């Protein structure tokens, strides 16, 4: 929370998107909507209005002037009359800031061989973000880099990886054509990703010769297995297979879904199995582990709403959710414990690490698959990491569905898995698994 600010209907303090709900507005809902659209700030006004923006363009007001309760939760304040309660949002990198259809990637130092790294350029005396993004889109490049009055276009490559982000203040030179936007400088470039698809990693095929080793991509349901398959297929250029047959995944482009899992034509095989016999039928495995609180909710949504849908409110509030947690939470723990115990050669990957550091984790995974990953291909994957397998964040639950009893039980399972990992000299579970 950053404070109470003056607002003005003629000149808004936060100038991004806005939406109103005079019955059910909550602080969480406003923050979630602004974060999903990639804004840095969310502000609430008049108990029911939500405004998003990249900067706060007004002066502070006294806290006592933000005095209206939120229409959807009486315990919280949602601004006042011409007064905004403003929050600065902690944006995960993947909810990268959007500018129209472009995605903000960050501020970066000018690469050494700039004419090779960003081969197309145009001088723009009346520069703005939109003008540069439109120019690079037209030239069919996925990256648009603003360098003061020069607009440059290119691909992420080893010359310009977008891995070393700089402080945004270094890029904060105003655009000549748009007073509220930054346009970077000759030394520090502001980079946006355009809507142009980077095709360097889109080709996929079956293995040319039958695989000698069967590699499992093992996870508890809801731990991101489908997303990991998408990443592996882009990174390697080969289809992944499955222990099951899921027609909806086949229709979404997972052509290995139809093959028998022992066909040897796929690079690895998705499985949620955790019995000794099933585990021992694989020669090695990538074991994907995810925070159980998130995995359980994701699997519950999948069960009642499909791969990218959501469970209905009645399912969360009815008897289905408590029954689901009672049955699935112990399985979350035994799944990992069994793979650590019976798996022949197991590479543990935490879903959270994969999200945070995709390049390094994907390199590890591809290494286990026995393929030398081409760096440019991995950089291409980073640019289209979401694919079609991400639930939109706009329908998140507005309350925590876990009871204290459920949390106590799940905490016990987390400790069990943490201990098992450490006994094998692996790093334990990420810190954010507990406490909740």
């Amino acid at each position: 929370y950053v404070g109470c600010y003056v607002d003005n209907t003629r000149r808004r303090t936060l100038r991004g998107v806005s939406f109103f709900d005079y019955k059910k507005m909550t602080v969480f809902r406003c923050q979630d909507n602004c974060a999903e659209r990639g804004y840095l700030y969310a502000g609430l006004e008049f108990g029911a209005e939500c405004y998003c923006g990249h900067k706060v363009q007004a002066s502070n007001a006294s806290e006592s002037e933000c005095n209206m309760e939120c229409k959807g939760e009486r315990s919280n304040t949602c601004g006042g009359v011409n007064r905004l309660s403003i929050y600065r949002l902690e944006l995960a990198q993947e909810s990268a800031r959007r500018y129209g259809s472009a995605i903000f990637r960050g501020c970066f130092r000018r690469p050494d061989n700039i004419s090779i790294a960003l081969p197309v350029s145009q001088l723009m005396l009346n520069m703005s973000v939109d003008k540069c993004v439109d120019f690079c889109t037209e030239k069919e490049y996925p990256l648009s880099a603003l360098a003061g009055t020069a607009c440059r276009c290119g691909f992420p490559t080893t010359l310009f990886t977008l891995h070393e982000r700089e402080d945004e203040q270094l890029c904060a030179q105003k655009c000549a054509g748009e007073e509220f936007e930054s346009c970077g400088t000759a030394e520090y470039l502001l980079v946006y990703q355009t809507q142009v698809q980077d095709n360097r990693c889109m080709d996929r095929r079956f293995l040319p010769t039958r695989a000698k080793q069967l590699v499992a991509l093992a996870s508890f349901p809801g731990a991101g297995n489908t997303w990991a398959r998408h990443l592996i297929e882009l990174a390697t250029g080969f289809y992944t297979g499955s222990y099951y047959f899921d027609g909806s995944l086949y229709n979404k482009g997972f052509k290995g879904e139809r093959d028998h899992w022992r066909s040897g034509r796929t690079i690895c095989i998705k499985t949620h199995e955790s019995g000794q016999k099933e585990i021992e039928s694989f020669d090695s495995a990538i074991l994907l582990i995810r925070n159980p609180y998130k995995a359980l909710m994701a699997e519950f949504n999948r069960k009642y709403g499909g791969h990218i849908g959501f469970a209905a409110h009645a399912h969360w509030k009815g008897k289905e959710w408590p029954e689901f947690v009672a049955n699935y939470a112990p399985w979350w723990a035994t799944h990992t414990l069994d793979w650590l115990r019976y798996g022949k050669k197991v590479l543990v990957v935490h879903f959270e690490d994969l999200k945070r550091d995709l390049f390094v984790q994907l390199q590890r995974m591809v290494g286990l698959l026995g393929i030398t990953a081409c760096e440019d291909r991995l950089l291409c994957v980073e640019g289209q990491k979401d694919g079609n397998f991400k639930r939109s964040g706009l329908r998140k639950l507005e309350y925590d569905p876990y009871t204290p009893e459920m949390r106590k039980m799940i905490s016990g399972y987390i400790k069990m898995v943490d201990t098992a990992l450490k006994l094998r000299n692996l790093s334990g579970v990420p810190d954010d698994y507990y406490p909740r």
Side-chain angles (χ1 to χ4, degrees):
Y1 177 70
V2 294
C4 183
Y5 284 79
V6 175
D7 197 22
N8 180 325
T9 49
R10 287 191 305 283
R11 208 168 156 72
R12 288 285 174 204
T13 300
L14 294 172
R15 297 184 190 163
V17 300
S18 58
F19 77 102
F20 313 129
D21 188 332
Y22 291 95
K23 284 201 174 129
K24 296 200 291 273
M25 180 60 77
T26 66
V27 172
F28 176 86
R29 197 167 158 216
C30 176
Q31 290 173 337
D32 201 34
N33 268 280
C34 295
E36 181 69 16
R37 287 166 173 74
Y39 288 99
L40 269 186
Y41 293 97
L44 297 110
E45 182 167 333
F46 201 61
E49 301 174 1
C50 173
Y51 296 89
C52 312
H54 287 302
K55 8 173 137 52
V56 179
Q57 307 186 53
S59 55
N60 271 90
S62 153
E63 281 303 318
S64 60
E65 293 171 37
C66 283
N67 53 12
M68 293 182 78
E69 286 183 334
C70 305
K71 297 291 185 191
E73 51 175 355
R74 293 290 154 84
S75 56
N76 257 326
T77 304
C78 282
V81 179
N82 290 335
R83 294 294 180 267
L84 279 166
S85 300
I86 296 184
Y87 293 84
R88 184 182 162 93
L89 304 170
E90 290 289 327
L91 291 185
Q93 255 176 314
E94 55 282 345
S95 66
R97 304 223 288 285
R98 286 182 181 272
Y99 236 90
S101 60
I103 298 172
F104 178 75
R105 295 293 297 268
C107 174
F108 300 91
R109 189 188 291 274
R110 169 194 170 106
D112 290 342
N113 306 355
I114 194 162
S115 52
I116 303 170
L118 299 164
V120 172
S121 70
Q122 171 96 346
L123 194 66
M124 291 184 177
L125 297 175
N126 204 16
M127 172 77 100
S128 72
V129 174
D130 279 347
K131 286 195 181 82
C132 186
V133 166
D134 287 348
F135 171 73
C136 294
T137 303
E138 201 178 291
K139 297 286 182 194
E140 301 205 328
Y141 281 96
L143 292 186
S144 151
L146 292 83
T149 51
C151 169
R152 295 185 170 275
C153 320
F155 291 94
T157 61
T158 46
L159 291 173
F160 196 47
T161 61
L162 303 188
H163 287 168
E164 306 289 323
R165 287 169 78 120
E166 301 284 351
D167 182 342
E168 272 176 56
Q169 288 306 310
L170 294 168
C171 285
Q173 182 172 298
K174 277 191 181 149
C175 294
E178 191 60 66
E179 98 179 270
F180 294 118
E181 291 178 358
S182 297
C183 272
T185 69
E187 283 307 308
Y188 291 96
L189 319 184
L190 263 189
V191 179
Y192 288 83
Q193 190 169 317
T194 71
Q195 287 289 290
V196 175
Q197 190 164 52
D198 186 343
N199 285 323
R200 296 172 301 165
C201 58
M202 296 313 286
D203 58 300
R204 285 170 294 170
R205 59 199 174 107
F206 287 104
L207 292 173
T209 54
R210 200 185 148 105
K212 293 185 176 56
Q213 302 270 307
L214 282 179
V215 185
L217 176 63
S219 75
F220 174 77
N225 201 305
T226 306
W227 179 55
R229 287 176 71 185
H230 162 76
L231 296 174
I232 287 167
E233 292 195 359
L234 293 184
T236 64
F238 295 116
Y239 288 120
T240 58
S242 174
Y243 197 77
Y244 319 97
F245 169 65
D246 183 329
S248 73
L249 289 180
Y250 179 81
N251 294 336
K252 284 203 166 80
F254 284 106
K255 299 299 178 211
E257 193 70 24
R258 262 203 184 144
D259 270 41
H260 186 274
W261 65 280
R262 283 189 177 278
S263 75
R265 297 205 307 158
T266 54
I267 190 80
C268 64
I269 295 118
K270 160 196 176 164
T271 177
H272 299 314
E273 301 302 309
S274 55
Q276 181 176 354
K277 189 164 127 291
E278 288 84 357
I279 293 172
E280 287 176 348
S281 58
F282 290 98
D283 300 293
S284 59
I286 294 167
L287 176 60
L288 198 57
I289 304 176
R290 185 182 188 185
N291 181 329
Y293 291 103
K294 299 277 177 63
L296 289 166
M297 287 173 76
E299 176 57 9
F300 191 71
N301 275 322
R302 189 203 63 79
K303 199 171 168 157
Y304 290 101
H307 275 284
I308 50 175
F310 291 86
H313 200 69
H315 293 131
W316 292 102
K317 289 295 194 190
K319 64 181 191 315
E320 293 94 336
W321 172 243
E323 278 177 11
F324 177 87
V325 173
N327 291 324
Y328 276 66
W331 180 25
W332 175 84
T334 56
H335 184 277
T336 294
L337 299 176
D338 284 357
W339 276 93
L340 290 175
R341 186 171 167 193
Y342 302 120
K344 291 175 194 155
K345 180 184 173 193
V346 178
L347 174 76
V348 172
V349 175
H350 292 284
F351 173 86
E352 293 74 18
D353 293 341
L354 187 57
K355 274 180 86 172
R356 191 173 45 246
D357 198 356
L358 186 99
F359 190 84
V360 169
Q361 296 302 326
L362 202 46
Q363 233 170 359
R364 290 176 68 222
M365 290 156 76
V366 171
L368 181 93
L369 298 170
I371 285 183
T372 312
C374 152
E375 278 198 37
D376 281 0
R377 193 167 179 120
L378 286 175
L379 291 166
C380 163
V381 178
E382 275 190 314
Q384 39 222 328
K385 59 183 183 214
D386 286 345
N388 305 315
F389 308 102
K390 187 173 187 284
R391 287 184 180 83
S392 131
L394 293 183
R395 288 227 9 224
K396 289 193 184 89
L397 280 183
E398 303 214 351
Y399 59 90
D400 181 347
Y402 291 101
T403 63
E405 295 75 41
M406 289 175 183
R407 277 204 214 104
K408 192 175 173 191
M409 170 179 70
I410 293 168
S411 279
Y413 292 132
I414 291 172
K415 289 193 176 83
M416 224 186 257
V417 168
D418 188 55
T419 305
L421 289 168
K422 285 174 176 163
L423 279 173
R424 284 163 180 75
N425 292 326
L426 298 166
S427 55
V429 300
D431 293 342
D432 61 2
Y433 282 25
Y434 50 27
R436 272 179 62 86

